[in-house]
Amino acid sequence: MINNTSPLDRMFQALADGHRRQMIDRLAAGPLTVSDLALPMGISLPAVMQHLSVLEACGLVQSHKQGRVRTCALTADALAQAEAWISARRMMVEARLTRLEQFLATDKEDGA
Amino acid sequence: MINNTSPLDRMFQALADGHRRQMIDRLAAGPLTVSDLALPMGISLPAVMQHLSVLEACGLVQSHKQGRVRTCALTADALAQAEAWISARRMMVEARLTRLEQFLATDKEDGA
DNA sequence: TGATTACTTAAGGGAATGATTAACAATACC
DNA sequence: GGTATTGTTAATCATTCCCTTAAGTAATCA
């Protein structure tokens, strides 16, 4: 695809990695420094930095540096956008299935 | 990463492509054959097949073949799982931010 | 000032992704 | 039967992804 970097592409791509979801999980409980974030992950610090930049690029995480320490925090809005996209489609499917069930139930009554 | 194919990996990876989201969008309105699905997409049929197999592998889409025509339909459950993962984290962040705001408001009162 | 800490940048490599074309079923139609 | 339709498989290719090590920068500490 040409230029496949819409905001939703970046968002879901960011969520499609276990290490990044692990980072999100830990940040959901509160802000952390890069080192603290990296500590239990079993990968190198540069790898964590790369994941972090992916998470920041799509707005899931914001960070600021004070002295030599960078603190990272999860953003609610970006998560909400991804959730909203999925939710809208899920509700469409469910509504359609519900209508189908109702139709089948009515059909059964008529047939019986 | 070693073996990075958890169900959530596959799910979000599937959602991280504009063509696949386009397919999901159209299937949300109702089932479609492979050809109908491919028609407005501007990519080759084999490419559509590959996207379809990604969507089926993570449970987002189910399909069945009758004669020479394969019909594809969106699944509500898989979407719900992805939504639930995001939702839980979003609510954690929002709850924490709300507590923080309340604390700051209380602090302001005490200080004033 | 020199060492340590905390992060950052650069370079590179192996695997996965998303696309293509060509060829191959299998079914439906005349 | 012969042919068009619908889907599938195979092979290939360029790009992207995720990781690593090595080296560099900036802030804090003794």
Side-chain angles (χ1 to χ4, degrees), chain B residues 85-105:
Chain B
W85 190 93
I86 299 178
S87 182
R89 276 78 190 168
R90 180 186 53 76
M91 290 193 294
M92 277 192 70
V93 185
E94 285 177 356
R96 192 163 41 71
L97 292 179
T98 301
R99 283 197 303 275
L100 180 60
E101 278 171 19
Q102 287 173 348
F103 169 76
L104 290 178

Side-chain angles (χ1 to χ4, degrees), chain B residues 1 33-35 45-46 49 65 68-70:
Chain B
M1 193 194 332
T33 68
V34 173
S35 298
L45 201 57
M49 290 293 297
K65 197 170 181 177
R68 63 184 170 183
V69 176
R70 178 174 296 280

Side-chain angles (χ1 to χ4, degrees), chain B residues 10 34 37 52 55 76-77 80 103 110 112:
Chain B
R10 279 195 296 272
V34 173
L37 204 48
L52 188 58
L55 291 171
D77 289 358
F103 169 76
D110 290 0

Side-chain angles (χ1 to χ4, degrees), chain B residues 25-90:
Chain B
D25 261 340
R26 305 209 25 243
L27 289 174
L32 288 170
T33 68
V34 173
S35 298
D36 288 345
L37 204 48
L39 206 56
M41 293 191 59
I43 57 176
S44 66
L45 201 57
V48 175
M49 290 293 297
Q50 286 172 19
H51 285 309
L52 188 58
S53 78
V54 171
L55 291 171
E56 289 205 58
C58 69
L60 279 168
V61 166
Q62 286 187 325
S63 75
H64 58 94
K65 197 170 181 177
Q66 187 143 0
R68 63 184 170 183
V69 176
R70 178 174 296 280
T71 303
C72 310
L74 203 51
T75 307
D77 289 358
L79 280 173
Q81 286 171 27
E83 189 184 343
W85 190 93
I86 299 178
S87 182
R89 276 78 190 168
R90 180 186 53 76

Side-chain angles (χ1 to χ4, degrees), chain A residues 3-106:
Chain A
N3 193 15
N4 68 339
T5 44
S6 84
L8 279 172
D9 282 336
R10 280 196 295 273
M11 178 82 69
F12 286 126
Q13 179 65 38
L15 294 174
D17 180 279
H19 281 147
R20 285 196 289 266
R21 287 200 308 280
Q22 187 184 349
M23 290 168 74
I24 290 173
D25 260 341
R26 303 206 31 240
L27 289 174
L32 288 170
T33 69
V34 173
S35 298
D36 287 345
L37 203 50
L39 206 56
M41 294 192 59
I43 58 177
S44 67
L45 201 57
V48 174
M49 289 292 297
Q50 286 169 17
H51 285 309
L52 188 57
S53 78
V54 171
L55 291 171
E56 289 205 59
C58 69
L60 279 168
V61 166
Q62 287 188 325
S63 73
H64 59 94
K65 199 170 180 178
Q66 186 143 1
R68 64 185 170 183
V69 176
R70 179 174 295 280
T71 304
C72 311
L74 203 51
T75 307
D77 290 356
L79 280 173
Q81 286 172 26
E83 189 184 342
W85 190 93
I86 300 178
S87 183
R89 277 75 190 170
R90 179 186 54 76
M91 290 194 295
M92 278 192 70
V93 186
E94 284 178 356
R96 192 163 42 72
L97 292 180
T98 301
R99 284 198 302 276
L100 179 61
E101 278 171 19
Q102 288 174 348
F103 169 78
L104 290 178
T106 308

